[in-house]
Amino acid sequence: QVRLVESGGGSVQAGGSLRLSCAASAYGSRCMGWFRQGPGKEREGVATISHDGSAMYVDSVKDRFTISRDNAKNTLYLQMNSLKPEDTAMYYCAASTIDCSGRYSLARSWFSYWGQGTQVTVSS
């Protein structure tokens, strides 16, 4: 079992930045990711990262968001810059049971463990 705890959400104006963190009770060589769910929308994959640091992003956040991981601290990060109102959502940290290097991993089916989420609100 893996426990995930997100932090760092909040309210920000368009163009601003936030950094999300996710502390994991167990890390290992697993794929980690960030998902989000906006009001009335399906949960979508935002970014994922393999154990060796290979990252994948949904097109809408490329060049604005950066996913990273500190394997020594069992912590996952999401740096979000140039935020837009359409980025408003609950953001969830997710952990897989396997690694995902070189494979498409933005689907929910990759991930077995989920955090409770942290709210990000971007005002115009």
Side-chain angles (χ1 to χ4, degrees), residues 71-121:
N71 293 334
K73 295 182 178 180
N74 288 3
T75 304
L76 179 72
Y77 303 99
L78 185 68
Q79 178 66 44
M80 305 186 295
N81 298 329
S82 302
L83 282 160
K84 303 176 180 180
E86 50 263 44
D87 295 318
T88 294
M90 185 71 79
Y91 283 71
Y92 298 91
C93 175
S96 179
T97 57
I98 57 175
D99 203 5
C100 53
S101 183
R103 303 167 71 179
Y104 180 81
S105 53
L106 288 172
R108 291 181 63 178
S109 57
W110 263 92
F111 298 90
S112 302
Y113 305 103
W114 297 85
Q116 293 301 305
T118 186
Q119 178 67 38
V120 171
T121 303

Side-chain angles (χ1 to χ4, degrees), residues 5 7 17 19-21 35 46-49 53 58 63 68 72 77 80 84 88 91 99 101-102 104 106 111:
V5 180
S7 61
S17 298
R19 188 193 196 202
L20 305 183
S21 298
F35 284 69
V46 175
T48 62
I49 187 167
V58 68
D63 300 323
S68 61
Y77 303 99
M80 305 186 295
K84 303 176 180 180
T88 294
Y91 283 71
D99 203 5
S101 183
Y104 180 81
L106 288 172
F111 298 90

